[in-house]
Amino acid sequence: MEHYAGLNDLLSQNRQAKDYFLSLPDYIQGMIQQRTDRIHSEDTLRRYAENLLAGDK
């Protein structure tokens, strides 16, 4: 698994992660952007987003 400096680095270098991020609702994107320093892989991005989405149900 690739490790990135943070969310911005991940999104600029990993097209699949960027596409996934852009497919999320705006409010989830905003919540993730508040934690940019904690997201260093696509897997972490997906798990964090899934947890946020699960909390909405």
Side-chain angles (χ1 to χ4, degrees), residues 5-55:
L7 179 64
N8 294 331
D9 189 38
L10 170 65
L11 297 180
S12 70
Q13 296 187 42
N14 183 319
R15 179 65 184 201
Q16 188 171 332
K18 183 176 183 176
D19 289 345
Y20 176 72
F21 179 78
L22 293 174
S23 76
L24 296 168
D26 289 343
Y27 72 99
I28 296 289
Q29 289 182 27
M31 294 171 82
I32 290 172
Q33 287 172 328
Q34 294 175 13
R35 301 272 194 265
T36 59
D37 58 328
R38 296 183 184 182
I39 298 174
H40 301 285
S41 69
E42 183 179 349
D43 185 54
T44 304
L45 170 64
R46 288 178 179 273
R47 279 186 285 142
Y48 190 54
E50 288 168 10
N51 286 339
L52 291 170
L53 290 166

